[in-house]
Amino acid sequence: MTNHAINQSNNMAEPLLSVRDLAVNYGPVKAVKGISFDLMPGQITTLVGANGAGKSTTLLALSGLVKKLTGRVMFGGKDVSALKPHQLVAGGLVQVAEGRATLTRLTVRENLQLGAYTRKDSAAEQAADLERIYTLFPRLKERDSGYAGNLSGGEQQMLAIGRALMAKPRVLLLDEPSMGLAPIIVQDIFRTLKNINREGLTIFLVEQNVRQALKISDHAYVLETGSIVLEGTGQALLGNAKVQEAYLGG
Ligand SMILES: Nc1ncnc2c1ncn2[C@@H]1O[C@H](COP(=O)(O)OP(=O)(O)OP(=O)(O)O)[C@@H](O)[C@H]1O
Ligand SMILES: [Mg+2]
């Protein structure tokens, strides 16, 4: 979280991550059809879109988990298009585990410690980050030695985010963190993401919960059947008539 501050003080005009002409096919299915987008350092950038638009596929391609048909990913000025998933994680491109896939038979602390598996820094630094995460999520600290399987859905999502933060991300990727959670918990999750972002962390969020996501976004892209059809600030898209009609219930 210390190195995020450094990212933020970089030249704000340069994207931290940029994607050009990304296309992914699953056999005959053209899931992503040549999209380009940028993540600016220290910002929350969101990709919104309906079921099947290609949001998860875009994240999988960024993380190196599906084969890109075309496309180039530049991260921190380097071409990372051909890197393996673990190399990307080690380089700071870290996705929050989907569906809150916490390891239920491990304790909260053990789950968090596992998040640090790619790090090569000292145990003391990792312990300091664990304390920082407990400050961010006091509820997790209370449950430190409890099994993750006994946490509520919202707490498990917090734990999944905490575990990703333990990898010391430079960019945090999230695939629908609000899924399946009660509205009040969703608000909590989004508020937490904003707080983490204020410490300087760059966030790429994929969401179907368009209204809440746009509210916390600096910039957003609208994905429809594999193509980006609109982009703008979160505020601008919230006020956009097409977005309101298609995603915000008119
Ligand atoms: N493993 C797969 N094999 C074949 N087709 C797939 C596969 N995964 C996704 N697809 C198809 O690719 C398209 C994009 O799917 P993707 O999961 O990226 O959408 P999404 O925007 O994340 O949707 P959702 O909001 O439902 O999560 C869809 O048409 C989907 O059916
Ligand atoms: Mg998806």
Side-chain angles (χ1 to χ4, degrees):
M1 304 203 265
T2 41
N3 64 337
H4 311 150
I6 295 165
N7 294 338
Q8 201 171 31
S9 65
N10 282 349
N11 184 352
M12 290 299 285
E14 286 293 315
L16 177 54
L17 186 139
S18 78
V19 173
R20 289 294 170 273
D21 195 31
L22 173 68
V24 179
N25 285 2
Y26 297 110
V29 178
K30 293 179 167 40
V32 174
K33 302 173 183 166
I35 62 173
S36 298
F37 59 92
D38 292 323
L39 309 186
M40 300 307 284
Q43 292 199 347
I44 298 181
T45 304
T46 300
L47 188 63
V48 298
N51 282 123
K55 305 181 298 297
S56 296
T57 302
T58 301
L59 281 185
L60 289 169
L62 278 184
S63 301
L65 293 165
V66 295
K67 195 172 177 299
K68 296 183 270 299
L69 184 70
T70 64
R72 177 135 84 118
V73 182
M74 298 292 293
F75 179 36
K78 289 194 200 113
D79 189 336
V80 299
S81 312
L83 293 190
K84 301 256 180 316
H86 71 275
Q87 296 173 311
L88 291 165
V89 174
L93 199 61
V94 181
Q95 181 165 350
V96 172
E98 211 174 329
R100 288 156 249 144
T102 52
L103 298 164
T104 57
R105 304 294 299 273
L106 296 182
T107 67
V108 166
R109 177 176 292 257
E110 286 163 346
N111 266 280
L112 290 172
Q113 286 168 338
L114 268 182
Y117 79 101
T118 57
R119 289 171 60 168
K120 294 184 173 66
D121 55 358
S122 69
E125 277 180 71
Q126 296 180 19
D129 276 347
L130 191 110
E131 281 313 311
R132 242 176 260 139
I133 285 160
Y134 277 158
T135 307
L136 206 56
F137 303 111
R139 189 77 190 120
L140 293 184
K141 182 168 188 159
E142 287 168 27
R143 309 295 299 271
D144 170 78
S145 56
Y147 286 116
N150 294 336
L151 298 178
S152 71
E155 290 163 352
Q156 286 192 12
Q157 182 61 272
M158 300 286 188
L159 180 56
I161 294 170
R163 196 169 60 187
L165 292 177
M166 281 300 288
K168 251 192 181 335
R170 297 173 68 199
V171 175
L172 189 68
L173 310 172
L174 299 104
D175 193 350
E176 304 202 38
S178 75
M179 185 142 69
L181 298 177
I184 187 151
I185 309 294
V186 171
Q187 274 190 17
D188 222 32
I189 299 277
F190 283 116
R191 200 177 310 122
T192 303
L193 290 178
K194 195 76 196 171
N195 286 340
I196 299 168
N197 166 252
R198 284 206 188 93
E199 292 187 14
L201 183 59
T202 305
I203 293 179
F204 186 48
L205 177 65
V206 156
E207 262 298 339
Q208 276 194 66
N209 193 330
V210 176
R211 189 186 306 275
Q212 302 266 15
L214 290 181
K215 274 189 194 163
I216 64 159
S217 299
D218 297 290
H219 202 83
Y221 297 86
V222 179
L223 191 65
E224 278 180 17
T225 57
S227 301
I228 288 173
V229 295
L230 263 179
E231 70 163 289
T233 64
Q235 279 305 315
L237 291 185
L238 272 173
N240 180 283
K242 274 191 218 152
V243 171
Q244 289 179 354
E245 191 188 349
Y247 301 101
L248 302 175

